[in-house]
Amino acid sequence: MTVEDQPTEKEPDPRFTFANERTFLAWNRTALALVVGGLAVVQFLKIAFGGAQLIIALPLIGLGGAISYASYKLWQDNERALRRGEPLPRSILPRVLVYCVVGLGLVASALAVAQTAKG
């Protein structure tokens, strides 16, 4: 690829850069909440089934880490697209978050029903 073939980059409007950064920070707040929620499950939730806390906690902590990494990658891709004047890439983060939270909610509900039925 020659220098002429490379897309020209220009400084984007600061409002777009700041909006991209705010979105990145919002995703990281969500990721931090998931990690802290997972740690809270381990510390404060008492379920009679051995290891049941980990069934809920570990996916929350892992999802938090994955969302944090993915949000950084999305921030980079958005920043690059803004500088090149290209369309912004689509994000799968909302869909991933919704599916994972719904799945974890179903598992937590099943554990709560089993806990209640046990006694």
Side-chain angles (χ1 to χ4, degrees), residues 32-49:
L32 183 59
L34 288 166
V35 170
V36 170
L39 293 173
V41 165
V42 170
Q43 290 297 312
F44 302 116
L45 187 65
K46 301 303 175 206
I47 301 174
F49 303 110

Side-chain angles (χ1 to χ4, degrees), residues 46-68:
K46 301 303 175 206
I47 301 174
F49 303 110
Q53 291 97 336
L54 292 178
I55 292 173
I56 299 172
L58 291 179
L60 283 172
I61 294 168
L63 180 60
I67 292 240
S68 183

